[in-house]
Structures are given as C-alpha cells and as structure tokens.
Amino acid sequence: MKHNVYFEGGVQSLGFADAAGNASVGVIDPGEFSFGTSTEEVMSVVAGSLDYRLPGAGWAVAAAGQSFTVPAGITFDVRTTAPAAYLCRYR
Amino acid sequence: MKHNVYFEGGVQSLGFADAAGNASVGVIDPGEFSFGTSTEEVMSVVAGSLDYRLPGAGWAVAAAGQSFTVPAGITFDVRTTAPAAYLCRYR
C-alpha cells in the first residue's frame, strides 16, 4: 500500500488495490481542498460528513454511509469542519 | 492526524479525533497480524473482508459493512488474503 500526503498533511490517504480495482482510504482534516481527477472516482464517507462541489454545481453534503461520484478529468472541491474519513474507488 | 505504520508497513492507519472520540482508518495487507488493545475498539470493515479471532474464540469473518467489538486489554488476531480497509473507533 502507499501513503499519500496532500496539502501539507491536511489530507492523507492509504492507497491499495483489490479485486475491484484501485482504491484508497483517507482522512480530510478541517478546511477546504481542491482535487483533480484522472479517472472517475466514487467517494464514500465512512466517518464524519463531507461537503463537496462538482463543476457547475453548488455545495452538496455526503454524510457517513453516503457516496458521490466524481467524473474523470475535472477539479472538485471538498470542505469539512471536522475530520472526515472516506473510501475512494477509482474506476 | 497521525500516520501509523505497523508490521513493516503491512498494516497502516491514519488516526484522527472527532466528536465521537479517537478513531482511525487503515488498510491491512494480506497476512496475519496480532494487535493488543488498550481501550475497547469497534472495528468496521469498509472494503474487503477480514477474518478475526478474539481470545477463547475461533476465527470469525467480518465483510465490508460489518463490525466487531474488541474488549480492552487483550490481544486479538486478524488475517486476510486481500487488502482490507477498516474504520476503528476507540471507546
């Protein structure tokens, strides 16, 4: 597995691969962060709550147990006021 | 948050704290590993499947979406044949 550090440690993840493909689990510390996608990503919140904004859309909320899909090749924003943990699957 | 590395990287986690207390998300690579607990832990599998064995019990299986509780002050075993991701909450 691979430990990834973004935004000076404000977002960190552990990447792994299983039968379903590449994936990561991570934690997003309080703040607002932008990410670019190279593949479609399915983000599932596993702890806390995450605000997210896709291109051309307003802010939406994903609580623990909820997922959202991010298209390939775009930049999207996330923000949270408390640490949020997620599972991300890369399609 | 804190990046924790166990068993020469075979198990890694990201520790964080939220309103519910201390928690971590992590990945367990294929293999068998033993952990000691200082507090009660609730382990929830978020990807893959994890075999676990509590003291005095046989192996049991937790699939993605399932949880098991580990008492404080014991040693328990986990094993997997494919990477498993988990959320652990410390009580």
Side-chain angles (χ1 to χ4, degrees):
Chain A
M1 82 185 79
K2 183 170 184 292
H3 175 224
N4 306 296
V5 178
Y6 308 99
F7 305 108
E8 298 179 341
V11 179
Q12 297 184 42
S13 70
L14 299 168
F16 62 99
D18 61 13
N22 292 320
S24 63
V25 286
V27 175
I28 299 172
D29 268 346
E32 183 174 329
F33 308 96
S34 295
F35 286 94
T37 59
S38 52
T39 65
E40 183 179 273
E41 299 183 4
V42 180
M43 290 277 289
S44 302
V45 178
V46 300
S49 176
L50 193 61
D51 293 352
Y52 65 96
R53 184 170 56 184
L54 301 180
W59 286 99
V61 184
Q66 297 183 318
S67 300
F68 58 95
T69 299
V70 185
I74 60 103
T75 296
F76 72 107
D77 307 307
V78 296
R79 70 179 180 197
T80 181
T81 56
Y86 66 89
L87 168 71
C88 181
R89 288 209 171 268
Y90 307 91
R91 294 294 170 80
Chain B
M1 82 185 79
K2 183 171 183 292
H3 175 223
N4 306 296
V5 178
Y6 308 100
F7 305 108
E8 298 179 341
V11 179
Q12 298 184 42
S13 71
L14 299 168
F16 63 99
D18 61 14
N22 291 320
S24 62
V25 286
V27 175
I28 299 172
D29 269 344
E32 183 175 329
F33 308 96
S34 296
F35 285 94
T37 59
S38 52
T39 64
E40 183 178 273
E41 300 183 3
V42 179
M43 289 277 288
S44 302
V45 178
V46 299
S49 176
L50 193 61
D51 293 352
Y52 65 96
R53 184 169 58 184
L54 302 179
W59 287 99
V61 183
Q66 298 183 318
S67 300
F68 59 96
T69 299
V70 185
I74 60 104
T75 296
F76 72 107
D77 307 306
V78 295
R79 71 179 180 197
T80 181
T81 56
Y86 65 89
L87 168 71
C88 183
R89 289 209 171 268
Y90 307 90
R91 294 292 170 79

